[in-house]
């Protein structure tokens, strides 16, 4: 009986709460970056990490960043549609902890980046990892949450397949 209640709206609230925490953390860190850094300003932190202010008008790894502006709206719509789909999935599967955790992480990150696109016209990135002269593209808290969510989705599927054997 408790499992049945977890599959409805009550169980869904904890996952929406997690997504909201991710959204707040993402937007708070971006407000700090915008407040203290000009575009391309950078602070050396360690031999492999800098804090930098970068703007990304594209998607992951600046995919389509060179577009004429249409990509802002395209990626905003993709983010909104993804959030709608995730909410539908959470309503149906909120009792599946790892799966729902993954979806909540992806949703929180997607909303964070959609907010950036709507407010700024681009996504604000600031985490800059590098090693031996190679730089990983700068990213943010939202991107981190989306990546963690994607890894958890893969892990959830692997575990589901393993249990089915």
């Amino acid at each position: 009986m408790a499992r049945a209640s977890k599959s409805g709206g009550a169980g869904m609230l904890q996952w929406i709460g997690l997504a909201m925490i991710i959204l707040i953390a993402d937007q708070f860190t971006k407000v700090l970056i915008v407040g203290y850094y000009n575009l391309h300003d950078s602070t050396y932190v360690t031999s492999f990490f800098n804090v930098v202010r970068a703007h990304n008008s594209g998607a992951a790894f600046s995919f389509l960043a060179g577009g004429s502006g249409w990509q802002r709206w395209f990626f905003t719509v993709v983010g909104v549609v993804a959030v709608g789909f995730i909410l539908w999935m959470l309503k149906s599967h909120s009792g599946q902890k790892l799966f729902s955790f993954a979806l909540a992480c992806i949703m929180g990150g997607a909303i964070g980046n959609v907010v950036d696109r709507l407010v700024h016209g681009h996504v604000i990135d600031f985490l800059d990892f590098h090693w031996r002269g190679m730089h990983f593209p700068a990213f943010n808290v939202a991107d981190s949450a989306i990546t963690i969510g994607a890894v958890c989705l893969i892990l959830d599927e692997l575990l589901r397949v393993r249990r089915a054997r």
Side-chain angles (χ1 to χ4, degrees):
M1 185 127 160
R3 186 171 175 96
S5 68
K6 283 285 189 181
S7 65
M12 192 170 139
L13 287 178
Q14 67 184 339
W15 305 118
I16 292 173
L18 173 60
M20 291 303 299
I21 289 168
I22 291 167
L23 172 62
I24 291 166
D26 176 64
Q27 291 299 300
F28 177 73
T29 54
K30 290 172 180 174
V31 164
L32 290 176
I33 293 300
V34 168
Y36 289 101
Y37 286 79
N38 291 316
L39 184 60
H40 305 300
D41 282 354
S42 179
T43 301
Y44 173 90
V45 179
T46 69
S47 62
F48 61 89
F49 174 66
N50 298 329
V51 174
V52 62
R53 180 173 168 185
H55 295 171
N56 182 359
S57 58
F61 306 109
S62 297
F63 176 66
L64 297 176
S68 61
W70 63 268
Q71 71 277 23
R72 171 187 184 186
W73 303 110
F74 175 74
F75 291 126
T76 298
V77 168
V78 168
V80 170
V81 169
V83 168
F85 180 71
I86 288 169
L87 286 169
W88 176 73
M89 292 295 287
L90 282 174
K91 187 168 196 245
S92 305
H93 303 283
S94 63
Q96 297 175 16
K97 288 187 181 354
L98 183 57
F99 182 71
S100 295
F101 174 82
L103 292 178
C105 287
I106 293 168
M107 182 169 68
I111 295 170
N113 284 341
V114 164
V115 167
D116 278 13
R117 290 183 198 289
L118 292 174
V119 172
H120 304 290
H122 53 261
V123 174
I124 298 165
D125 292 326
F126 57 90
L127 301 170
D128 177 34
F129 286 89
H130 52 89
W131 186 64
R132 296 187 180 188
M134 297 178 293
H135 278 259
F136 189 78
F139 59 98
N140 56 45
V141 172
D143 299 333
S144 300
I146 291 168
T147 301
I148 290 167
V151 168
C152 288
L153 277 180
I154 293 167
L155 179 60
D156 181 69
E157 182 62 13
L158 291 172
L159 292 172
R160 187 190 64 77
V161 168
R162 186 175 181 195
R163 282 190 303 266
R165 287 186 186 179

